Amino acid sequence: VVLRFRKFNEEKKGIRKDPFLYEADVQVQLISKVFIVEKVPLEKEETSHIEELQSEETAISDFSTGENVGPLALPVGKARQLIGLYTMAHNPNMTHLKINLPVTALPPLWVRCDSSDPEGTCWLGAELITTNNSITGIVLYVVSCKADKNYSVNLENLKNLHKKRHHLSTVTSKGFAQYELFKSSALDDTITASQTAITLDISWSPVDEILQIPPLSSTATLNIKVESGEPRGPLNHLYRELKFLLVLADGLRTGVTEWLEPLEAKSAVELVQEFLNDLNKLDGFGDSTKKDTEVETLKHDTAAVDRSVKRLFKVRSDLDFAEQLWCKMSSSVISYQDLVKCFTLIIQSLQRGDIQPWLHSGSNSLLSKLIHQSYHGTMDTVSLSGTIPVQMLLEIGLDKLKKDYISFFIGQELASLNHLEYFIAPSVDIQEQVYRVQKLHHILEILVSCMPFIKSQHELLFSLTQICIKYYKQNPLDEQHIFQLPVRPTAVKNLYQSEKPQKWRVEIYSGQKKIKTVWQLSDSSPIDHLNFHKPDFSELTLNGSLEERVFFTNMVTCSQVHFK
């Protein structure tokens, strides 16, 4: 048995691969250098056993889908047997087993359990103790989980339990609490919830009582994971522009453009023609920014967003001709033909001298070059074919979005031009420029998501900005990454002191931190292979809350066995 584990470990070298079968209904996976033992999923078992197994699973949970049941657990008795074999195989005192010495230590072993015993055991674990590459003992873990409407636990009892089990006279306690500040929910059945989640983690020592409110001397960290494009967020319009920019970049790279649904009722050609007519009426030098700004701001304003945050993201009041053109075309262009027709109208107006639009300095786009040439009455001939129209619109979109982000970060004193240089540098390939702007947008989304919680703490927003900038200068775009911002509890006390945590935990230990007793209370099950009873609608009050809230209590205990 152990030889099979050892061979599997050597083959995989600690990297997660396909599991191997230990027995007909037991499989082993190597995940992050830990052996995970579990029941073989239904689709891998013999057909003759499926109906019997499904009936057993239905008795445990009313919510199994059949097709995707997730990890499956083994009976507690079977799990204990596997832990026993693992322990004996590493014990040099088991001479009757004829073990070849010295024994090479295997990774820790954890077995999923079905919680079928009175204690509700959901995991059994074993981790070897080594000294100078020699196995001297083993730590055995028992993890239990129960769903309780009523729970009763006493901190002193937990301490005494730990002292008695490990023959100790003194113990230390450490507390942990997690508060869920924000978690996206689905708008309706057709729109799935984003993965945005912001939690506040607090730890302290010692612990005075169960469910103690973390003291102001604690250590606190904001954990921030943000998915761009929150439908109700104040950046929704800017994110839509970014999506259109990505569409153009993909089209330029692949030759295939999947256009977005238009936001305007009028066609792109109509909007551009009206825009040019308005400029012509103003003798070609006018600025219609104010009108567009007011329309855009009203269009994207929603009562759901904190208005103090919303005011930071109004469309800039200094949009030049190219930027206004981007706003109109990015919201209405639905075909390559639209691009060609729109740019044809613009170039013809420039050639005739109907308009002499103003531009911000510093742009190297093809359109800006043509406009500057038109000031002198001579323009290069541009063939609006191939990828040129796509590139022209992509260039002015890049210029516009870069200025949007610069305006925010510098205007809010969160970054300098030097900090932003990597993200706005025009010297790199245009595809890389788009990618870096995408990173910059994600940083902005992160800041906006956190502003309701720390907007009055400028130094925290500045620190978060710098953390994100440093990360994205060195790493690819990753909206699943969890950014961590250390905070002083005094700065966020209003976020947690009167709130109930989603998770509260106490760890009791002495000298060796591996040897500990843990008790945890949470409002959701931390065990992915167990399905607990969920309340039906008859258990809900008129306001939608539970008559009696269901909590999940976890207990971790361990035993240390010395071989030498």
Side-chain angles (χ1 to χ4, degrees):
V1 171
V2 174
L3 287 175
R4 293 177 63 194
F5 274 73
R6 186 158 289 122
K7 182 180 178 182
F8 182 67
N9 181 46
E10 291 170 356
E11 288 175 354
K12 306 309 177 187
K13 295 181 180 178
I15 302 172
R16 180 172 183 165
K17 298 288 184 181
D18 293 334
F20 81 88
L21 283 180
Y22 168 68
E23 292 179 356
D25 62 344
V26 179
Q27 69 179 21
V28 181
Q29 299 192 67
L30 186 60
I31 302 174
S32 300
K33 299 183 179 179
V34 175
F35 280 127
I36 303 294
V37 183
E38 59 197 6
K39 192 174 185 178
V40 174
L42 295 181
E43 62 269 22
K44 293 187 179 180
E45 296 189 72
E46 295 181 12
T47 307
S48 60
H49 294 159
I50 288 181
E51 291 183 4
E52 178 185 349
L53 290 169
Q54 284 180 332
S55 65
E56 291 175 1
E57 292 300 323
T58 303
I60 297 172
S61 170
D62 296 327
F63 296 88
S64 295
T65 60
E67 292 182 4
N68 184 22
V69 296
L72 297 179
L74 294 170
V76 176
K78 180 67 174 179
R80 287 182 179 139
Q81 180 187 33
L82 292 171
I83 293 290
L85 289 172
Y86 177 90
T87 302
M88 288 192 294
H90 288 92
N91 188 345
N93 300 317
M94 295 287 145
T95 54
H96 63 285
L97 296 179
K98 298 181 180 179
I99 298 171
N100 293 325
L101 299 176
V103 177
T104 303
L106 283 171
L109 177 72
W110 284 87
V111 187
R112 297 184 190 271
C113 304
D114 62 6
S115 196
S116 56
D117 60 334
E119 292 76 24
T121 302
C122 54
W123 282 100
L124 288 178
E127 186 171 348
L128 298 172
I129 303 169
T130 58
T131 304
N132 298 326
N133 295 322
S134 175
I135 300 171
T136 58
I138 192 167
V139 180
L140 303 174
Y141 297 93
V142 179
V143 182
S144 62
C145 183
K146 291 183 179 181
D148 291 321
K149 289 184 178 179
N150 299 298
Y151 58 89
S152 177
V153 67
N154 181 280
L155 182 58
E156 287 306 312
N157 290 344
L158 289 175
K159 289 181 178 179
N160 290 333
L161 173 69
H162 187 82
K163 289 177 184 178
K164 184 177 179 181
R165 180 184 293 270
H166 301 290
H167 310 291
L168 301 169
S169 57
T170 60
V171 293
T172 304
S173 59
K174 180 180 178 182
F176 171 84
Q178 183 176 86
Y179 297 83
E180 188 178 89
L181 304 184
F182 180 85
K183 185 176 183 180
S184 278
S185 57
L187 286 172
D188 55 46
D189 291 339
T190 62
I191 303 176
T192 57
S194 78
Q195 297 300 306
T196 297
I198 302 173
T199 62
L200 176 63
D201 287 2
I202 308 178
S203 58
W204 70 98
S205 181
V207 179
D208 297 330
E209 60 182 348
I210 294 294
L211 297 185
Q212 176 187 355
I213 296 173
L216 294 179
S217 58
S218 304
T219 300
T221 303
L222 279 173
N223 297 300
I224 306 151
K225 182 175 74 169
V226 173
E227 183 177 341
S228 298
E230 175 69 31
R232 295 159 293 189
L235 295 179
N236 193 30
H237 65 291
L238 196 58
Y239 180 66
R240 205 278 180 183
E241 289 184 37
L242 176 66
K243 284 202 299 183
F244 192 83
L245 194 77
L246 295 173
V247 163
L248 296 175
D250 287 344
L252 195 63
R253 188 179 70 254
T254 67
V256 178
T257 307
E258 296 183 7
W259 302 99
L260 302 180
E261 287 293 319
L263 299 177
E264 305 289 347
K266 291 183 179 180
S267 70
V269 176
E270 287 178 289
L271 288 174
V272 169
Q273 185 63 69
E274 288 178 1
F275 179 47
L276 295 174
N277 291 342
D278 289 343
L279 284 179
N280 196 14
K281 290 174 186 176
L282 296 169
D283 295 326
F285 295 95
D287 177 9
S288 59
T289 304
K290 191 171 190 296
K291 172 185 173 185
D292 289 338
T293 301
E294 291 171 350
V295 171
E296 288 290 331
T297 303
L298 290 172
K299 183 186 301 180
H300 299 293
D301 195 17
T302 63
V305 178
D306 183 350
R307 291 183 182 277
S308 65
V309 175
K310 183 71 176 176
R311 281 195 294 270
L312 299 174
F313 304 103
K314 288 182 179 179
V315 175
R316 286 186 291 114
S317 60
D318 64 341
L319 297 184
D320 67 9
F321 170 80
E323 291 172 325
Q324 292 179 62
L325 186 65
W326 163 261
C327 290
K328 294 180 183 301
M329 292 181 68
S330 65
S331 63
S332 59
V333 168
I334 57 171
S335 69
Y336 179 81
Q337 289 71 29
D338 279 352
L339 281 182
V340 174
K341 290 177 183 177
C342 289
F343 282 123
T344 298
L345 287 174
I346 294 161
I347 291 173
Q348 288 174 348
S349 293
L350 291 170
Q351 288 172 334
R352 291 194 300 264
D354 294 342
I355 57 172
Q356 286 190 312
W358 72 276
L359 295 173
H360 290 299
S361 62
S363 172
N364 292 316
S365 70
L366 176 55
L367 181 62
S368 67
K369 289 177 183 177
L370 292 175
I371 291 172
H372 284 297
Q373 289 173 358
S374 74
Y375 295 162
H376 307 288
T378 57
M379 291 171 58
D380 292 340
T381 300
V382 176
S383 174
L384 294 174
S385 60
T387 61
I388 291 177
V390 177
Q391 175 129 356
M392 287 178 69
L393 190 56
L394 178 59
E395 288 174 346
I396 63 176
L398 260 176
D399 284 346
K400 193 264 184 186
L401 288 179
K402 284 180 181 179
K403 285 188 174 67
D404 285 341
Y405 298 127
I406 290 171
S407 175
F408 171 79
F409 285 106
I410 293 181
Q412 296 303 309
E413 298 182 346
L414 296 174
S416 65
L417 269 177
N418 186 47
H419 290 137
L420 300 174
E421 176 59 29
Y422 165 84
F423 300 97
I424 60 175
S427 56
V428 296
D429 172 77
I430 196 166
Q431 296 290 343
E432 178 63 21
Q433 289 185 55
V434 172
Y435 187 59
R436 293 184 184 186
V437 163
Q438 198 177 359
K439 289 182 177 182
L440 201 54
H441 180 87
H442 190 226
I443 296 175
L444 186 55
E445 293 266 9
I446 291 167
L447 293 174
V448 172
S449 297
C450 291
M451 276 185 173
F453 313 112
I454 58 173
K455 63 186 175 187
S456 60
Q457 308 278 340
H458 183 269
E459 70 276 11
L460 290 181
L461 284 173
F462 181 83
S463 296
L464 179 57
T465 305
Q466 299 307 309
I467 288 170
C468 294
I469 285 175
K470 181 180 179 181
Y471 177 82
Y472 271 140
K473 282 183 178 179
Q474 302 169 350
N475 297 281
L477 180 69
D478 180 9
E479 295 197 352
Q480 296 304 307
H481 179 73
I482 297 175
F483 291 88
Q484 294 189 310
L485 176 67
V487 294
R488 296 185 309 276
T490 51
V492 292
K493 62 183 180 181
N494 62 308
L495 299 178
Y496 74 87
Q497 284 190 332
S498 60
E499 301 295 327
K500 293 192 180 300
Q502 273 62 48
K503 189 182 293 181
W504 191 98
R505 181 169 68 240
V506 60
E507 297 182 6
I508 300 166
Y509 57 91
S510 188
Q512 297 181 16
K513 289 193 176 182
K514 269 188 181 181
I515 311 302
K516 58 187 176 183
T517 297
V518 182
W519 183 88
Q520 176 179 286
L521 183 75
S522 58
D523 64 359
S524 60
S525 172
I527 309 299
D528 60 356
H529 60 262
L530 293 182
N531 289 300
F532 292 93
H533 167 69
K534 298 182 181 180
D536 59 27
F537 290 107
S538 65
E539 295 179 80
L540 299 177
T541 61
L542 290 177
N543 65 5
S545 63
L546 288 176
E547 290 278 8
E548 292 183 80
R549 192 177 176 189
V550 176
F551 296 93
F552 295 87
T553 57
N554 271 88
M555 186 85 167
V556 181
T557 58
C558 63
S559 302
Q560 188 172 13
V561 179
H562 294 282
F563 296 153
K564 295 181 180 179

